Amino acid sequence: MIRFDNVTKRFPDGTEALKGISLAFPAHQLTAIIGPSGCGKTTLMKMINKLEKPTEGEIYIDEEPITGLEEVKLRRSIGYVIQRIGLMPHMTIADNVSMVPKLLGWPKDKTEARARELLSLVGLEPDTYWSRYPLELSGGQQQRVGVVRALAGDPNIILMDEPFSALDPISREQLQDELRNLQQEIQKTIVFVTHDMDEALKIADRIIVLRAGQVEQIGTPQELVAEPANDFVRDFIGTERINRQRAFGEKKLKEFVFQFDAEWSGDAQKIDSSASIEEAARQLEASPHSRLAITEGGHVVAYAAERDLLKAALQKDRGTSN
């Protein structure tokens, strides 16, 4: 877990980017930080790997203060994905992905096995892309390699700074889906900075809404849409999303089975596909499990997490993404 304890960041010109921030990023969850430009979201994220340092307060990783941690060692233990990807153009995909494992002193066979495994996970066939260079790949493919590189050293924490914002809408949608599916498998602690509310609602387990260096609200996507803390959060989410959320009860699970996950290895709460999304959301909230197992004729046909229900509720019509 990452924890901020009364953290303030004041720049030399007197600007307070963060003002007494106290919050926690739960382990094994994807937390999105969102807010208007200049609200402090990127500064907040960069403090986790000491690219920015607090003026006041302390940051903890697994209850150990990071103040005394050696910067290079800390950064090698954290994955980092940025908007402009940052791949080395003169290095092959294999060499780009293998950079951190090599710095960590991994043996060659372990490094190659890890790189091949991760490339396969994001849909890049290793034998096809292994010896290619970044400029031979599309923007979406390059960003996939960027994600793989961040995961290669098997870090517990991954920082993602608006990683998909420069992509075309189709590539962006695909990578959001891939990240969500990948996170279900790897279960890392991911801090994801975005300016796009739809993106945050789609991929996040929890969302932190910032304004002018202060936290306005922290909650699950469903909590933010259902119960915005104040007018700023309500306006930032948008009345259209909130109004559509109120129509939960008019939609049935069976309308969205085709877009939910077909497999899940953990325990799940069973619910019939004839139930409404509103009913499903209430049942999942009361359940000890993180997924619903949706059944038809007594057989499980799909699995849905809270964010899957929210995404379905936010769709204007069946099969049409917001």
Side-chain angles (χ1 to χ4, degrees):
M1 182 179 73
I2 306 164
R3 183 167 64 85
F4 280 58
D5 184 11
N6 199 30
V7 170
T8 292
K9 175 62 178 180
R10 191 176 300 111
F11 289 104
D13 66 359
T15 301
E16 276 194 331
L18 298 174
K19 304 172 183 178
I21 296 286
S22 293
L23 53 80
F25 297 88
H28 313 303
Q29 291 190 15
L30 192 158
T31 302
I33 308 172
I34 191 166
S37 297
C39 70
K41 53 186 182 291
T42 296
T43 300
L44 179 66
M45 186 198 68
K46 286 183 174 180
M47 299 183 93
I48 296 170
N49 65 354
K50 297 179 77 170
L51 286 174
E52 296 286 357
K53 297 178 182 179
T55 308
E56 300 169 12
E58 185 60 85
I59 301 165
Y60 300 84
I61 295 179
D62 295 333
E63 294 307 314
E64 180 180 3
I66 69 171
T67 303
L69 297 180
E70 200 273 319
E71 291 180 4
V72 173
K73 185 177 180 181
L74 173 67
R75 290 169 189 166
R76 287 179 182 175
S77 71
I78 296 175
Y80 195 35
V81 187
I82 60 176
Q83 178 180 338
R84 284 178 285 277
I85 308 167
L87 299 179
M88 300 298 180
H90 62 286
M91 296 171 60
T92 65
I93 300 308
D95 289 335
N96 267 283
V97 174
S98 302
M99 285 178 62
V100 173
K102 287 178 179 177
L103 290 171
L104 294 174
W106 286 22
K108 184 177 179 180
D109 57 345
K110 179 181 177 181
T111 297
E112 181 171 341
R114 176 69 172 168
R116 287 182 172 275
E117 174 193 12
L118 291 171
L119 286 170
S120 297
L121 278 177
V122 298
L124 297 175
E125 173 56 44
D127 289 339
T128 301
Y129 295 96
W130 193 254
S131 299
R132 292 188 182 181
Y133 289 86
L135 292 179
E136 298 179 82
L137 276 58
S138 69
Q141 289 170 335
Q142 289 183 43
Q143 197 60 278
R144 285 176 172 85
V145 175
V147 172
V148 166
R149 185 178 61 181
L151 293 169
D154 200 22
N156 292 323
I157 296 169
I158 301 167
L159 309 180
M160 308 186 80
D161 190 3
E162 303 209 37
F164 308 146
S165 61
L167 300 176
D168 64 87
I170 294 176
S171 295
R172 185 170 187 165
E173 181 85 10
Q174 289 174 342
L175 279 170
Q176 289 167 352
D177 290 338
E178 286 188 15
L179 177 62
R180 188 182 67 172
N181 294 334
L182 186 64
Q183 172 64 351
Q184 290 177 1
E185 182 167 344
I186 62 177
Q187 295 289 291
K188 300 294 184 180
T189 303
I190 300 178
V191 179
F192 191 106
V193 168
T194 180
H195 65 276
D196 185 331
M197 180 58 77
D198 286 321
E199 182 168 71
L201 292 171
K202 177 178 179 179
I203 68 173
D205 297 301
R206 294 170 78 250
I207 298 174
I208 298 170
V209 183
L210 290 184
R211 176 172 64 161
Q214 296 179 303
V215 175
E216 293 291 328
Q217 187 169 359
I218 301 175
T220 65
Q222 186 173 344
E223 288 169 346
L224 261 67
V225 173
E227 299 179 16
N230 52 41
D231 288 342
F232 171 80
V233 177
R234 184 177 296 106
D235 291 342
F236 200 76
I237 294 172
T239 55
E240 185 181 359
R241 293 187 187 93
I242 293 172
N243 289 337
R244 271 185 272 150
Q245 191 273 343
R246 291 171 181 164
F248 263 27
E250 300 175 10
K251 298 181 179 180
K252 305 294 183 182
L253 286 174
K254 60 186 176 183
E255 298 178 46
F256 302 95
V257 164
F258 74 99
Q259 71 183 37
F260 294 154
D261 293 327
E263 297 182 1
W264 169 248
S265 59
D267 294 330
Q269 178 76 33
K270 288 188 176 181
I271 187 170
D272 192 81
S273 65
S274 62
S276 68
I277 293 180
E278 181 181 23
E279 181 182 352
R282 288 199 305 266
Q283 189 165 325
L284 183 58
E285 185 177 4
S287 169
H289 307 307
S290 64
R291 298 287 189 282
L292 290 175
I294 302 168
T295 62
E296 290 182 354
H299 301 288
V300 176
V301 294
Y303 295 88
E306 182 180 53
R307 59 190 170 210
D308 299 315
L309 300 178
L310 179 63
K311 182 182 177 183
L314 291 173
Q315 290 183 10
K316 297 177 181 178
D317 302 296
R318 175 174 174 171
T320 302
S321 296
N322 180 34

